[in-house]
Amino acid sequence: MPRPLVAGNWKMNGSKSLLIEMANALRKEQLEACDTWLLVPAVFVEFAIQQFDTTAVKVGAQNLSGQAPGALTGEVSAAMLEDVDCRISLVGHSERRQIFGETDDEVVTKTKACIDHRIQPLVCVGETLAERQAGQAKQIVVDQIGRLMEKLTAAEMAAVVIAYEPIWAIGTGEVASAYDAQEIHAEMRRTLSDYYGLECPQIRLLYGGSVRASTVKELLAQPDINGVLVGGASLDKHEFVQICNAAAIAD
Ligand code: 13P
């Protein structure tokens, strides 16, 4: 089994002072048994890398452009992230898909740009409430992963981490039950292994959506859930430390 991974997504929140506090809090913890990532706004990436330098925490970005550097005002390229030693990026978060109109094609392009620049992509998939109520949750997630599978070789896919984030559970306090989350994760794993077989060893699959210290243990006890992607709770150092500790014990 892959090591558990806890990734905190600060979204458009946080500050340099909160990064210093978080680094101080996490530095004290023995987190060797789990991987910890913090995905911060682009403007803080370099500062965060410096702050977490002496910790086991790895810093990532939340988005990038899939295009080559050029006349794209306001965008950040994969080459630029690589240049500042940023080795992780979220791709295709539902807020990017829903608010900024990011398409499946763009998600694939961004994922490939990450891989080309030695950045590990954490790609998000997940269904809306209406899709879940219509009984389409599995199909939506399988289709989103299918768009990636069409374009990525087994070796490329092996570098990807996938997060299942049901959109109705993001920022709402609603968590998918561990049973429902496991069901989708098992389907994702089956889809990937049917397509890539043994060429692509176990990919890490994370669950995201209102994860808290109180819910993380049950989620990580599921056989196909390898970690969690944490939004709001990653801004609270006490809660985030508790989540990381719970994941380290779950290993
Ligand atoms: P919350 O944990 O705040 O629901 O956010 C989940 C998320 O979108 C993480 O990427």
Side-chain angles (χ1 to χ4, degrees):
M1 279 291 281
R3 277 152 66 87
L5 166 59
V6 175
N9 173 14
W10 273 14
K11 308 192 180 189
M12 199 174 76
N13 295 296
S15 59
K16 286 166 80 172
S17 59
L18 186 60
L19 275 168
I20 294 169
E21 278 180 40
M22 191 62 85
N24 287 340
L26 286 167
R27 194 172 288 116
K28 295 190 196 116
E29 303 299 316
Q30 304 288 322
L31 297 174
E32 288 85 11
C34 83
D35 290 339
T36 309
W37 295 356
L38 198 61
L39 312 165
V40 300
V43 69
F44 295 140
V45 163
E46 225 182 332
F47 180 77
I49 289 172
Q50 289 159 9
Q51 293 307 310
F52 286 99
D53 191 34
T54 55
T55 73
V57 178
K58 292 194 181 138
V59 171
Q62 298 173 2
N63 182 37
L64 75 165
S65 166
Q67 306 304 313
L72 290 165
T73 302
E75 292 292 277
V76 172
S77 71
M80 291 168 190
L81 292 180
E82 185 182 20
D83 197 25
V84 297
D85 275 332
C86 178
R87 296 272 163 246
I88 298 161
S89 183
L90 266 184
V91 177
H93 189 279
S94 63
E95 286 151 18
R96 303 250 17 122
R97 294 179 190 256
Q98 294 208 307
I99 303 170
F100 301 98
E102 208 165 284
T103 63
D104 284 335
D105 282 345
E106 283 172 297
V107 171
V108 171
T109 307
K110 289 178 180 205
T111 304
K112 284 192 83 89
C114 281
I115 293 167
D116 290 348
H117 288 274
R118 299 184 302 132
I119 295 165
Q120 190 162 19
L122 169 43
V123 182
C124 302
V125 297
E127 81 286 359
T128 63
L129 184 57
E131 288 162 346
R132 171 154 287 261
Q133 286 170 341
Q136 297 166 343
K138 274 188 193 164
Q139 198 51 51
I140 294 288
V141 168
V142 165
D143 288 350
Q144 287 171 335
I145 292 178
R147 299 297 297 272
L148 282 176
M149 295 189 314
E150 280 167 17
K151 294 282 160 54
L152 300 190
T153 64
E156 287 170 333
M157 189 57 110
V160 175
V161 177
I162 298 177
Y164 167 58
E165 294 208 308
I167 293 166
W168 48 270
I170 294 179
T172 58
E174 292 268 339
V175 191
S177 71
Y179 176 84
D180 285 345
Q182 165 56 26
E183 210 179 29
I184 299 281
H185 279 242
E187 187 71 21
M188 296 199 288
R189 200 168 305 285
R190 213 168 10 251
T191 303
L192 289 159
S193 59
D194 284 353
Y195 191 82
Y196 292 110
L198 292 176
E199 281 176 90
C200 185
Q202 274 218 326
I203 293 179
R204 286 210 274 199
L205 303 178
L206 313 188
Y207 169 80
S210 296
V211 173
R212 296 283 178 275
S214 56
T215 52
V216 66
K217 270 195 200 138
E218 199 188 356
L219 288 163
L220 291 179
Q222 306 306 311
D224 289 299
I225 301 183
N226 309 120
V228 285
L229 178 53
V230 185
S234 69
L235 290 158
D236 177 328
K237 61 179 188 236
H238 301 296
E239 180 103 19
F240 193 57
V241 163
Q242 279 183 48
I243 292 172
C244 294
N245 281 327
I249 290 164
D251 185 27

